[in-house]
Amino acid sequence: MTIGSRVRQIRDHFKKSRREFAQEVGATPDEINNIELDRLKRMELKEPIFINICSKYNVSMNWLKYGQGEMFEQLSRDEEIAKFVAKILNEEEESFKRRFIEMLVALSPDEWEILEHAIEIIKKRG
């Protein structure tokens, strides 16, 4: 399997059109097409695109470039949380998730205890 076929596999996995995928990884649809069809003589020139693919889709660079290991990186819980928060911060300012994170940041220690207690009550009812 080539880098191009692995890029196609990622795009298919996430059900993205070539245009959507290209936009999300900072490429043109023609660049993605040429990568997928292995038309490039110097694939290393597309390294920034590969870095963006791995970052955006949590893909292992070792898998993408060499076909070794698993397709997706295994993130620690802290890494998952950091990635989630980073994604929210890039959303529209008025999104519920962003407003919720902003509210959490402003909580005092006493308010954290109240929130924890409220969540425990909700968990028991659910």
Side-chain angles (χ1 to χ4, degrees):
M1 190 182 278
T2 65
I3 292 176
S5 60
R6 287 188 290 276
V7 168
R8 176 66 189 256
Q9 187 176 346
I10 295 163
R11 189 169 64 80
D12 288 346
H13 177 85
F14 289 99
K15 297 176 175 57
K16 298 288 183 175
S17 70
R18 196 168 277 126
R19 181 175 306 283
E20 288 175 307
F21 188 77
Q23 185 176 18
E24 290 179 356
V25 300
T28 66
D30 285 341
E31 285 178 303
I32 297 302
N33 187 51
N34 288 333
I35 290 169
E36 289 181 356
L37 296 175
D38 297 307
R39 290 184 181 159
L40 302 175
K41 291 185 173 127
R42 298 188 59 205
M43 198 67 84
E44 68 274 7
L45 295 177
K46 300 303 174 187
E47 187 78 13
I49 295 170
F50 301 145
I51 290 168
N52 289 345
I53 290 170
C54 292
S55 175
K56 171 78 178 164
Y57 295 103
N58 194 38
V59 170
S60 162
M61 183 65 81
N62 200 34
W63 178 83
L64 178 60
K65 290 175 80 173
Y66 309 109
Q68 299 172 346
E70 298 295 321
M71 179 192 291
F72 297 107
E73 290 284 344
Q74 299 301 314
L75 299 178
S76 71
R77 188 69 178 142
D78 286 348
E79 290 168 326
E80 284 182 38
I81 292 168
K83 191 169 186 169
F84 175 76
V85 171
K87 181 179 175 185
I88 289 171
L89 292 176
N90 287 324
E91 290 181 0
E92 295 178 28
E93 243 181 79
E94 292 303 314
S95 75
F96 169 76
K97 291 176 186 176
R98 185 177 177 119
R99 291 190 323 269
F100 189 75
I101 295 292
E102 289 170 352
M103 183 264 320
L104 291 175
V105 168
L107 291 178
S108 70
D110 289 340
E111 291 168 325
W112 274 103
E113 285 183 32
I114 293 167
L115 179 61
E116 182 178 19
H117 181 71
I119 290 171
E120 290 300 321
I121 291 170
I122 292 168
K123 282 171 53 178
K124 288 177 185 174
R125 290 182 184 173

